[in-house]
Amino acid sequence: MKKHNSKASIQAVLYFLILLLLISLLGISAYAGYIVYNDIYGKPQNLSVILPPDSNDSNEYYGDVKQFNKNMKFNHNLILVKFFDCTLDEEARMGKAFEIITNETGIITFKKTNENPDIEILCSEASKQTDNQDSEYFIAGEGGAKEIIQTYKYNVIVLGSVLLYNSQDKGLKCTNPTIELHELIHVFGFDHSPNPKSLMYPYLSSCDQKLDSSIVSELKRLYSQPNLPDLYFDSFSQPIKKGRYIDLNFSIKNLGTIDAENATFSILENNQVIETHTLGTIRFGAGILMNMENIRLKSSNPEKISIIIDYENKLKELDKNNNIAEITF
């Protein structure tokens, strides 16, 4: 009888231990399920983004002779020029106009080329026709910026043209390259002046018309500025956090004057990098759209998430203060 009771006691203990094990397993499973839910299936949460303030200092010019668009400039100081159907005399007169700009500014120079020019000098009706442009091609007079890329901070001149055919057949014939210089200044983006004494007056009324000192000052300002890329967050949609994962949708644009090569951005959680992405080359005036889903965070409740352009500071830019976007909770 005692043996039977002893055997029953052992079985009861075993049943109890099995029950405890099952309860433990159920608890572990429930906890694991909770972890998985929070890790993957967390309730979507809309977050906010803090972008750097607009630090764009356009320096738009309001002098005596305005530019057609703000901050118009070539993105280099050595300007390549190609002549089409020009006589030696026409090339010489245009060369004097180049010398005046070089001497007055001290930082802009010109060089003759046979390919890929910055400025085309057209000296005949035939060269105008082969240019394949319509009558609205010129901004003003017989010269102007032909191709411009807008980057928000600048209007980068890619190609300009000057028409010199029949330029001296009518009206005054000046020893100085007045007409040539007038049209060249149009290429650099400057409009006409209401002042009859200005070289940029719409009509050649006197060979004594002078190049405005304000134009020279503006050229010095524009061409003394460094030509660099400038990446910034052009747009940033509201981030969505789902447990331990986050979705991001934003665009990065280059508002500088030259291409941004080997561009990158990094995602940081609590000041630690969790991902870095290569963007390659972003052309000036162009941008790239990023649509990123299910970026895994280290914590389901981070204190701070940052997206930083060029986190390793390998890219020299016009402005580094517009490279950070902060996500708040």
Side-chain angles (χ1 to χ4, degrees):
M1 188 70 179
K2 289 183 179 180
K3 285 184 179 181
H4 178 74
N5 289 336
S6 176
K7 185 177 181 180
S9 298
I10 293 173
Q11 288 178 339
V13 170
L14 289 174
Y15 290 148
F16 179 73
L17 292 175
I18 291 172
L19 180 61
L20 286 178
L21 179 61
L22 289 174
I23 292 173
S24 299
L25 290 174
L26 288 173
I28 293 172
S29 297
Y31 179 73
Y34 173 78
I35 294 297
V36 169
Y37 176 82
N38 279 323
D39 200 40
I40 299 178
Y41 302 107
K43 182 179 179 181
Q45 176 186 1
N46 292 326
L47 307 178
S48 299
V49 179
I50 300 176
L51 296 176
D54 185 2
S55 60
N56 175 41
D57 181 10
S58 66
N59 290 319
E60 189 169 357
Y61 182 65
Y62 293 101
D64 299 330
V65 184
K66 297 180 181 179
Q67 287 191 304
F68 301 106
N69 296 294
K70 66 180 182 181
N71 291 332
M72 291 182 68
K73 61 173 287 187
F74 291 97
N75 60 4
H76 46 275
N77 290 23
L78 175 59
I79 312 301
L80 300 180
V81 181
K82 184 175 181 179
F83 291 89
F84 292 85
D85 300 327
C86 298
T87 65
L88 292 178
D89 180 63
E90 287 169 329
E91 288 194 22
R93 289 182 62 84
M94 198 70 227
K96 289 182 179 178
F98 297 151
E99 289 179 9
I100 292 173
I101 295 295
T102 297
N103 293 335
E104 290 289 337
T105 64
I107 53 177
I108 301 174
T109 56
F110 300 85
K111 182 180 179 180
K112 186 177 177 180
T113 184
N114 290 322
E115 56 184 17
N116 300 324
D118 299 307
I119 302 176
E120 301 171 335
I121 310 298
L122 312 175
C123 296
S124 71
E125 188 70 28
S127 61
K128 177 187 177 184
Q129 292 173 350
T130 57
D131 193 53
N132 294 323
Q133 297 294 328
D134 57 38
S135 60
E136 296 180 353
Y137 153 89
F138 291 104
I139 294 175
E142 296 294 330
K146 180 177 179 180
E147 295 180 17
I148 299 173
I149 295 179
Q150 297 179 330
T151 71
Y152 182 55
K153 278 190 175 181
Y154 293 91
N155 284 274
V156 180
I157 305 169
V158 178
L159 180 62
S161 285
V162 172
L163 298 186
L164 293 179
Y165 63 95
N166 298 327
S167 61
Q168 294 276 355
D169 288 353
K170 298 179 181 180
L172 292 173
K173 293 180 173 61
C174 300
T175 303
N176 295 326
T178 307
I179 293 176
E180 291 80 0
L181 187 55
H182 176 104
E183 307 307 342
L184 182 59
I185 295 299
H186 279 320
V187 171
F188 280 91
F190 290 89
D191 202 346
H192 283 128
S193 169
N195 183 2
K197 295 182 179 181
S198 168
L199 180 80
M200 297 313 294
Y201 190 63
Y203 307 103
L204 179 60
S205 59
S206 169
C207 291
D208 294 328
Q209 290 171 321
K210 302 297 183 181
L211 177 61
D212 306 68
S213 60
S214 60
I215 292 178
V216 175
S217 297
E218 181 66 353
L219 288 173
K220 287 181 178 180
R221 180 188 72 83
L222 288 170
Y223 287 86
S224 63
Q225 295 174 352
N227 288 297
L228 294 170
D230 191 2
L231 300 179
Y232 80 115
F233 292 99
D234 185 42
S235 64
F236 210 121
S237 300
Q238 188 175 45
I240 299 176
K241 182 175 174 292
K242 300 170 292 185
R244 206 165 182 171
Y245 293 84
I246 190 170
D247 296 343
L248 300 175
N249 192 317
F250 58 89
S251 63
I252 295 174
K253 186 177 179 180
N254 180 4
L255 52 76
T257 56
I258 63 173
D259 299 344
E261 298 181 354
N262 302 316
T264 64
F265 74 89
S266 300
I267 302 174
L268 285 72
E269 179 182 346
N270 299 333
N271 297 322
Q272 291 187 345
V273 176
I274 58 175
E275 289 189 13
T276 295
H277 297 268
T278 300
L279 299 172
T281 298
I282 302 180
R283 300 291 302 275
F284 62 93
I288 187 168
L289 177 64
M290 301 300 301
N291 187 1
M292 309 177 70
E293 296 182 348
N294 297 323
I295 301 169
R296 191 176 190 278
L297 304 175
K298 293 184 177 182
S299 169
S300 58
N301 293 297
E303 294 180 3
K304 181 174 67 172
I305 296 175
S306 308
I307 297 88
I308 302 178
I309 301 170
D310 189 35
Y311 174 73
E312 296 181 348
N313 199 27
K314 294 182 177 180
L315 185 65
K316 193 172 182 180
E317 299 181 69
L318 292 173
D319 184 6
K320 283 290 187 182
N321 295 321
N322 56 6
N323 285 13
I324 302 177
E326 299 280 2
I327 298 177
T328 60
F329 296 86

